[in-house]
């Protein structure tokens, strides 16, 4: 279960250029073997010659701008992908269903400390680095979360409600002697997050039935013996269209590529770079607002893991645990949050997919803890 951050951008480009400065800029572009041509027609105008009026013919002025072969290939690829995206048939927009009462947790199950308040906890500044005992506890919590998520995925089919999925997840977690971490976190009313179609994340389970062709992200976090294990996956419901299947596949690949760069001493910014490079090949947007996070005895802590290109400082340390959980969209990356203060959907209604693993940094790489 991720959290959101505010991301600001600084643009040092002037919004207007004179035609002469624009031409100079284009003609002075760095040389390359590939050239992109941009042109526009001049407006015709009337003139007088020897007392006779003549009308000039429209002219086409062509400016050339040199771009690298890679830039040109990416531009063409993106145009093709966007053209393919426009053929995607939009599904009816999400509507909130009825939310059932919060499920009880047996008294003997240890509870996380944030349940004492409905206020969203501050992000802990503590980087969670574990000794051998802590790693063993993290493995146990993450293995349970992975098993629960795997079983929850088997429930995904048309006509099943997300509320039914929540009840099964709740029972499976509590029967294992663990607490469902989302329940009561900042006032969240359910034991799991279920985000359907254009919902980026933090969807609240309700009475809405899943429809044939939906995609749904199920985000499971368990609190076992004082440690949180956090994971999520996007599942296909019934007969899902090709564009949506590809979005889901590429999103999982992005997460895997982000994990592949992780090891002791590696910089955190490599994660966002690798994810963005892969997503851009397919023309997908990488959501910037929601990020990965440190996880362990504390649900959400430093480091904040950005999934887009960034210049964030810091390096990974052996024994450290955190999540990588990119969200990709078929359209824009802007989002709106519903009045429930949790459900966040794409502003343009385009579908979104997300995958998440909790990983442990080792000397030579990263161990994925949330694998069955």
């Amino acid at each position: 279960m991720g959290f959101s951050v505010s991301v600001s951008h600084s643009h040092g480009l002037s919004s207007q250029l004179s035609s002469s400065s624009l031409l100079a800029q284009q003609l002075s572009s760095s040389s390359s073997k590939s050239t992109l041509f941009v042109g526009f027609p001049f407006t015709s105008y009337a003139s007088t010659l020897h007392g006779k009026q003549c009308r000039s013919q429209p002219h086409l002025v062509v400016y050339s701008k040199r771009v690298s072969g890679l830039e040109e290939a990416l531009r063409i690829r993106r145009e093709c992908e966007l053209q393919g995206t426009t053929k995607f048939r939009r599904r009816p927009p999400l509507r909130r269903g009825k939310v059932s009462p919060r499920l009880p947790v047996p008294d003997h199950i240890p509870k996380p400390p944030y349940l004492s308040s409905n206020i969203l906890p501050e992000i802990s500044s503590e980087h969670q680095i574990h000794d051998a005992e802590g790693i063993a506890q993290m493995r146990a919590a993450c293995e349970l979360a992975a098993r629960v998520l795997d079983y929850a995925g088997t429930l995904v089919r048309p006509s099943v409600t997300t509320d039914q999925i929540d009840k099964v997840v709740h029972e499976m977690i509590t029967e294992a002697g663990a607490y469902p971490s989302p329940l009561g976190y900042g006032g969240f009313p359910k034991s799991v997050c279920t985000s359907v179609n254009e919902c980026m994340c933090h969807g609240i389970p309700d009475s809405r039935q899943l429809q044939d062709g939906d995609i749904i992200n199920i985000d499971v976090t368990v609190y076992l013996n004082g440690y949180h294990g956090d994971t999520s996956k996007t599942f296909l419901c019934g007969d899902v269209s090709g564009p949506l299947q590809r979005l889901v596949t590429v999103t999982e690949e992005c997460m895997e590529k982000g994990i592949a760069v992780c090891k002791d001493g590696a910089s955190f910014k490599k994660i966002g770079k690798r994810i963005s490079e892969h997503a851009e090949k397919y023309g997908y947007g990488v959501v910037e607002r929601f990020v990965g996070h440190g996880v362990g005895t504390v649900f959400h802590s430093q480091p904040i893991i950005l999934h887009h290109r960034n210049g964030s400082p810091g390096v990974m340390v052996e024994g450290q645990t955190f999540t990588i959980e990119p969200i990709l969209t078929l359209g824009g990356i802007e989002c709106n949050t519903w009045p429930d203060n949790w459900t966040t959907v794409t502003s343009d209604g385009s579908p979104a997919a997300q995958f998440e693993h909790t990983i442990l940094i080792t000397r030579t790489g990263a161990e994925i803890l949330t694998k069955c």
Side-chain angles (χ1 to χ4, degrees):
M1 183 178 184
F3 60 96
S4 66
V5 295
S6 297
V7 180
S8 61
H9 298 278
S10 175
H11 300 280
L13 299 177
S14 173
S15 60
Q16 295 186 3
L17 289 170
S18 67
S19 59
S20 60
S21 63
L22 177 60
L23 175 60
Q25 180 188 30
Q26 290 171 325
L27 294 178
S28 64
S29 298
S30 59
S31 62
S32 175
K33 293 182 179 179
S34 177
T35 303
L36 173 65
F37 294 98
V38 182
F40 59 89
F42 271 145
T43 304
S44 61
Y45 60 92
S47 63
T48 303
L49 181 63
H50 299 297
K52 296 182 180 180
Q53 188 180 59
C54 22
R55 182 169 296 276
S56 65
Q57 296 299 316
H59 290 75
L60 179 67
V61 175
V62 177
Y63 292 150
S64 67
K65 178 183 178 181
R66 296 186 180 277
V67 297
S68 70
L70 177 59
E71 289 174 327
E72 178 70 351
L74 289 175
R75 181 188 68 81
I76 294 172
R77 180 65 174 269
R78 180 167 176 78
E79 286 182 357
C80 291
E81 293 296 335
L82 290 177
Q83 288 172 5
T85 300
T86 59
K87 298 177 183 177
F88 172 74
R89 183 173 62 86
R90 290 188 181 275
R91 303 180 67 78
L94 281 179
R95 295 287 184 266
R96 182 174 181 177
K98 181 179 179 181
V99 179
S100 63
R102 174 173 168 166
L103 297 172
V105 177
D107 292 338
H108 71 275
I109 293 178
K111 316 290 192 302
Y114 50 75
L115 296 185
S116 59
S117 172
N118 283 334
I119 299 174
L120 196 66
E122 293 287 334
I123 303 303
S124 171
S125 60
E126 173 189 1
H127 286 244
Q128 302 187 68
I129 302 170
H130 308 279
D131 58 16
E133 174 61 24
I135 290 173
Q137 296 286 8
M138 281 297 297
R139 286 197 178 109
C142 289
E143 194 272 338
L144 174 60
R147 283 195 291 110
V148 172
L149 178 62
D150 191 55
Y151 184 73
T154 68
L155 305 176
V156 174
R157 58 182 180 272
S159 80
V160 170
T161 68
T162 51
D163 190 57
Q164 289 174 310
I165 294 174
D166 177 76
K167 288 179 180 177
V168 172
V169 167
H170 181 90
E171 291 174 2
M172 190 171 178
I173 293 173
T174 55
E175 285 176 1
Y179 184 90
S181 302
L183 185 62
Y185 180 81
F188 192 82
K190 289 295 183 177
S191 299
V192 67
C193 298
T194 52
S195 304
V196 179
N197 296 337
E198 70 266 31
C199 183
M200 288 182 176
C201 60
H202 301 161
I204 298 175
D206 59 22
S207 62
R208 179 191 181 278
Q209 292 183 330
L210 293 176
Q211 306 296 312
D212 186 54
D214 281 350
I215 59 173
I216 174 175
N217 176 271
I218 301 177
D219 191 335
V220 173
T221 312
V222 307
Y223 183 68
L224 178 66
N225 298 325
Y227 289 78
H228 296 274
D230 192 0
T231 185
S232 85
K233 181 177 181 179
T234 298
F235 297 92
L236 308 179
C237 181
D239 185 17
V240 175
S241 68
L244 278 183
Q245 289 188 41
R246 183 173 59 181
L247 172 67
V248 171
T249 298
V250 173
T251 304
E252 185 172 22
E253 291 172 352
C254 282
M255 176 193 65
E256 292 168 348
K257 288 181 179 296
I259 293 172
V261 303
C262 295
K263 65 178 181 178
D264 181 46
S267 61
F268 288 111
K269 64 185 178 182
K270 286 185 177 181
I271 298 172
K273 180 176 184 293
R274 185 62 61 87
I275 289 173
S276 295
E277 287 174 347
H278 192 60
E280 288 165 2
K281 293 178 184 177
Y282 298 87
Y284 298 147
V286 180
V287 174
E288 299 180 4
R289 178 176 171 182
F290 294 97
V291 298
H293 54 88
V295 64
T297 56
V298 179
F299 195 174
H300 294 119
S301 75
Q302 293 287 344
I304 291 174
I305 306 300
L306 303 178
H307 303 113
H308 60 283
R309 282 190 175 85
N310 65 89
S312 296
V315 296
M316 305 167 203
V317 178
E318 184 176 1
Q320 187 174 41
T321 51
F322 55 83
T323 69
I324 296 179
E325 45 187 301
I327 303 173
L328 270 59
T329 75
L330 270 180
I333 62 172
E334 301 302 318
C335 57
N336 300 318
T337 301
W338 285 5
D340 61 25
N341 292 324
W342 286 103
T343 308
T344 302
V345 298
T346 57
S347 297
D348 60 6
S350 61
Q354 181 183 29
F355 282 81
E356 174 186 13
H357 272 314
T358 296
I359 65 171
L360 167 69
I361 298 302
T362 69
R363 184 176 59 83
T364 58
E367 177 185 342
I368 299 174
L369 299 179
T370 43
K371 270 190 174 181
C372 283

